[in-house]
Amino acid sequence: MGARKRKASHELITNPLNKESKLEETPELPKVTGDLGNPDPPPDSGAERAKKKQNAVTRTVWTLIMIFGFMGLLAMGHPWVIVLVFFCQGLVYREVTTLFSMTHPRPAGGGDVHGYDAWDGTLNWYFFAVTNYFLYGESIIYYFKHVVFSEAQFLPFATNHRFISFMLYTIGFVGFVGSLKKQYLKHQFGLFGWVHMTLLVIVVSSHFIVNNILEGLIWFLVPASLVICNDIFAYICGITFGRTPLIKLSPKKTVEGFVGAFMCTLVFAVVWSTIFMRYPYMICPVHDLGTHAWSEVHCRPNSVFLWREFELWTPINMFFSSLFRLGHPMPPIPYAPFQLHALAMATFASLVAPFGGFFASGFKRAFDIKDFGDSIPGHGGMTDRMDCQFLMGMFSYVYYSALIREHHATVGSVLQTIVSSLAVDEQIELFLDLKRYLEGAGVSIPT
């Protein structure tokens, strides 16, 4: 026995890489965790399976809560959906700005450390508030001209909004420069740049999403649904057919899942758009913030929602007619232009928007974290759920503004021109002339 141990020790000294050494047969002690010294359970243990099951239940429950909560807010009206966007935006902003402290820990040195920490939080949220004041104010002035320019108490806000916003930003900038300390300079300038990039990527994108809501809920619902649909089908197609890795930043993403999700999202886009384009509540721009799903909503619909008929080219029509032995020309195919626009948005949601998720994956790898936070039980942080939505929302607004929006003269736009361009005596003259015209046309004017 002693001779065998001495031989094993000699082999270990003379040939430490010898894998057949008897000493390596000694079982490895389990890792100890916690105060009580309980060993970590093996990966396939019952405790691990129970934990995975509990996570799946939690994830499912919160998924249902988010789905039904979203549907409820959608039915309650535009203001509630805007509040939802603002709430999500705030959580994402908090999660992303919190990451700054992970790469830039509190610098060493003397000074008022408590005051330094307080300024970090003040800087973050002051610029967040000023940016939202400017962007939401722009939306209110643009979409509610008929209210803002008809009430005298709102005129100072409407006519001086941009100047007020700039001065508020200037106050923050002066305060930042005045707070600079020699021992904290690198940290403070890093935070300043981090905050501004976060505002650009998150808050400005959210502003476009809010504008989509005010243009009509369908411009918010359909793009957001397409991203969710693509994400779901990418998972389903990936675990069913996935074999080829797609991108190194997300090892679980596969080419088969990516292509399969693209095809499924195109079909979903046609069906989903056809359903919701039939409801005035979904397609009408907001005019009254008190409107909800059960309100009587009327508007002149955008031409993309009007049904049309597509006539097949005569040779093709004759070919299909003979192929199917109809004995008569094929009837025209009904369609609405919005269905084609939905296909374009589905293409972006499938081929480009996922790169917002890949960007977020690279971001998390850079910080060596699994999730951005734990705002949603079972789902991680709000940023993990919204990484593609910001890019999709911005695209939807730019696409709508460039290719779909119809510009008509409205009461609000005319009123804005009158209030901002005519003197008071000219406004009175215009009012009297308009009153005289209406009375001459036999229109009774309410007093």
Side-chain angles (χ1 to χ4, degrees), residues 333-393:
I333 302 173
Y335 78 100
F338 180 66
Q339 294 172 319
L340 304 179
H341 291 300
L343 288 175
M345 289 188 284
T347 301
F348 187 91
S350 301
L351 303 183
V352 181
F355 281 84
F358 302 152
F359 176 84
S361 296
F363 206 74
K364 289 186 287 187
R365 283 179 176 271
F367 291 94
D368 195 24
I369 56 175
K370 181 181 180 181
D371 297 311
F372 281 93
D374 55 359
S375 304
I376 311 173
H379 291 268
M382 183 63 69
T383 312
D384 299 286
R385 303 278 68 81
M386 296 291 293
D387 47 13
C388 301
Q389 293 289 359
F390 291 118
L391 188 60
M392 187 68 200

Side-chain angles (χ1 to χ4, degrees), residues 7-18 21 23-24:
K7 181 180 179 181
S9 301
H10 175 73
E11 289 180 355
L12 182 62
I13 295 172
T14 58
N15 186 14
L17 299 179
N18 183 7
S21 173
L23 291 181
E24 293 197 7

Side-chain angles (χ1 to χ4, degrees), residues 3 7 9 16 27 29 36 86 93 126 140 184 192 261 270 275 292 318 320 332 336 354 358 362 374 442:
K7 181 180 179 181
S9 301
L29 293 177
L36 299 180
F86 185 81
Y93 181 81
Y126 178 82
I140 291 173
Y184 301 148
F192 188 80
V270 176
I275 293 173
H292 50 75
M318 294 175 61
F320 282 110
F358 302 152
D374 55 359

Side-chain angles (χ1 to χ4, degrees), residues 13 17 24 36 68 74 137 144 169 174 178 186-187 198 212 247 274 301-302 318 326 346 381 440:
I13 295 172
L17 299 179
E24 293 197 7
L36 299 180
F68 288 105
L74 196 68
F144 298 97
Y169 177 84
V174 171
K186 184 178 291 186
H187 181 98
T198 307
N212 291 337
I247 188 170
T274 304
N302 191 298
M318 294 175 61
L326 297 177

Side-chain angles (χ1 to χ4, degrees), residues 29-182:
L29 293 177
K31 295 180 180 179
V32 178
T33 60
D35 295 335
L36 299 180
N38 296 324
D40 287 339
D44 58 346
S45 68
E48 186 69 17
R49 288 195 298 270
K51 182 180 179 180
K52 290 183 178 179
K53 183 178 179 180
Q54 180 61 37
N55 289 339
V57 171
T58 302
R59 188 181 182 91
T60 302
V61 169
W62 276 94
T63 297
L64 295 175
I65 291 174
M66 288 189 292
I67 290 174
F68 288 105
F70 174 74
M71 294 174 61
L73 294 176
L74 196 68
M76 291 170 63
H78 302 77
W80 294 98
V81 183
I82 293 174
V83 169
L84 173 64
V85 173
F86 185 81
F87 175 73
C88 295
Q89 165 197 271
L91 287 179
V92 173
Y93 181 81
R94 186 195 63 167
E95 291 171 357
V96 175
T97 53
T98 300
L99 290 178
F100 181 80
S101 60
M102 297 179 60
T103 53
H104 297 78
R106 186 169 61 189
D112 184 6
V113 177
H114 176 72
Y116 168 82
D117 290 340
W119 174 243
D120 269 12
T122 304
L123 175 71
N124 289 357
W125 293 105
Y126 178 82
F127 283 115
F128 177 80
V130 170
T131 305
N132 276 283
Y133 170 78
F134 169 69
L135 295 176
Y136 279 78
E138 289 286 303
S139 297
I140 291 173
I141 293 172
Y142 180 82
Y143 290 100
F144 298 97
K145 298 183 183 76
H146 57 287
V147 176
V148 173
F149 288 95
S150 62
E151 298 290 340
Q153 61 268 29
F154 291 149
L155 281 181
F157 158 73
T159 55
N160 302 304
H161 171 67
R162 293 183 180 179
F163 178 76
I164 295 172
S165 300
F166 177 76
M167 293 309 299
L168 289 174
Y169 177 84
T170 303
I171 292 172
F173 178 77
V174 171
F176 166 74
V177 175
S179 70
L180 291 175
K181 293 180 172 58
K182 184 177 180 179

